[in-house]
Amino acid sequence: MGKLDGRVVIVTGAARGQGEQEARLFREEGAEVVVADVLDEQGEALAKEIGALYVHLDVGTESGWRDAVAAATRAYGRIDGLVNNAGILRFNALVDTPLEEFMQVVQVNQVGCFLGMRTVAPEMADGGTIVNTASCTALTGMAAVGTYAATKHAVLGLTRVAALELAARRIRVNAICPGAVDTPMSRPDPQAGPQGTSRALDGLYRRLVPLGRVGRPEEVARLALFLTSQDSSYITGQPFVIDGGWLAGVTVV
Ligand code: NAD
């Protein structure tokens, strides 16, 4: 028996990276999965491969969410889970960040998460689950990613409020806070595949991360599964750090 048998879960930003691994794992665990993304070619190919439904969804748009929810309900008759995973990252010092860039990141990371919960929760079956993808930078500062960190702090705030407001319907809402994970978002060289990335980042993460390596998207997917399944039945409103110990503290010797 799968951990998600009979459940229908929407995963945003699921064409690649962590979202892709979440979609794959959720299907393996018996869920019907809605793969939602703006990368149509990759998203459609993945959905075809794993037997899921692909929907084009720009998470920053109200009409996109309305259409996605309608498509999910049409295909599967219900929605039990949402993983707000879509996100973008921009590097800039705060004093150099153009307002347009700031608002672009807010639109995807923060507005996308808000609209997702606002649109899906009313249609979701009682006892459903929402997992919001925040970041380590939701809990600590990190130079050069101020806009991103601001939106990820906001995602945590939204998570806690939604957990309180939806608890009466037994809808649980939690957040994932990954450290560095080996996906296209964290790849300095877009041409490098996972192996190339790991090599390039190995030295850096050996020094920075107590476990001495970058995280794998499959590892984040397993945390998303835990928070989407009954294994986490008494947990809501919480951030879950998955970072190889990065936030545990600093080493001075
Ligand atoms: P990724 O870039 O591989 O995947 C992000 C996905 O989101 C892509 O498929 C992209 O097309 C999609 N997306 C972007 N804008 C969208 C939009 N407007 N509407 C719908 N989809 C959109 O990166 P990833 O590492 O898999 O990121 C997944 C989540 O994890 C993000 O929220 C990211 O902020 C978060 N995160 C990543 C890391 C990391 O080191 N990779 C660390 C902490 C948190």
Side-chain angles (χ1 to χ4, degrees):
M1 244 181 63
K3 286 180 187 269
L4 299 179
D5 279 347
R7 297 182 85 78
V8 179
V9 185
I10 300 174
V11 183
T12 70
R16 69 181 195 198
Q18 294 172 46
E20 174 188 343
Q21 296 307 324
E22 287 158 0
R24 287 182 184 280
L25 182 59
F26 288 15
R27 275 300 286 149
E28 282 167 29
E29 291 292 340
E32 299 293 354
V33 173
V34 179
V35 171
D37 209 299
V38 289
L39 296 176
D40 295 335
E41 212 171 299
Q42 275 173 268
E44 268 164 13
L46 174 69
K48 192 167 170 208
E49 182 195 330
I50 65 175
L53 172 72
Y54 176 74
V55 295
H56 176 92
L57 168 63
D58 178 345
V59 294
T61 63
E62 289 185 290
S63 61
W65 274 107
R66 272 196 303 272
D67 292 349
V69 166
T73 313
R74 220 173 19 250
Y76 301 120
R78 56 185 288 145
I79 301 172
D80 304 280
L82 168 66
V83 181
N84 278 316
N85 164 77
I88 57 172
L89 171 67
R90 298 287 179 269
F91 291 97
N92 232 330
L94 269 187
V95 295
D96 296 328
T97 302
L99 178 59
E100 194 185 1
E101 180 178 301
F102 189 89
M103 295 312 295
Q104 187 192 17
V105 178
V106 167
Q107 193 69 27
V108 178
N109 295 4
Q110 185 173 334
V111 174
C113 176
F114 158 68
L115 285 180
M117 291 198 288
R118 198 191 69 179
T119 317
V120 173
E123 305 299 324
M124 187 176 265
D126 288 359
T129 56
I130 298 174
V131 176
N132 294 324
T133 307
S135 161
C136 267
T137 63
L139 297 158
T140 187
M142 190 179 284
V145 296
T147 308
Y148 182 83
T151 61
K152 295 301 189 180
H153 275 71
V155 166
L156 265 199
L158 287 168
T159 299
R160 290 176 171 130
V161 171
L164 294 171
E165 293 183 359
L166 296 172
R169 293 179 48 215
R170 294 178 293 105
I171 293 176
R172 298 183 295 105
V173 189
N174 291 291
I176 292 178
C177 300
V181 182
D182 193 1
T183 70
M185 179 177 283
S186 59
R187 260 167 224 166
D189 173 7
Q191 299 307 315
Q195 292 311 315
T197 312
S198 299
R199 266 199 308 276
L201 294 178
D202 255 1
L204 180 65
Y205 291 116
R206 234 194 316 272
R207 275 184 288 117
L208 284 181
V209 178
L211 287 184
R213 64 172 176 83
V214 67
R216 290 186 288 272
E218 293 86 345
E219 294 173 307
V220 179
R222 288 201 292 272
L223 177 55
L225 171 64
F226 170 70
L227 295 173
T228 299
S229 75
Q230 278 301 103
D231 287 348
S232 57
S233 56
Y234 197 52
I235 300 175
T236 194
Q238 296 304 315
F240 287 81
V241 175
I242 173 164
D243 70 345
W246 204 354
L247 287 193
V250 293
T251 304
V252 291
V253 287

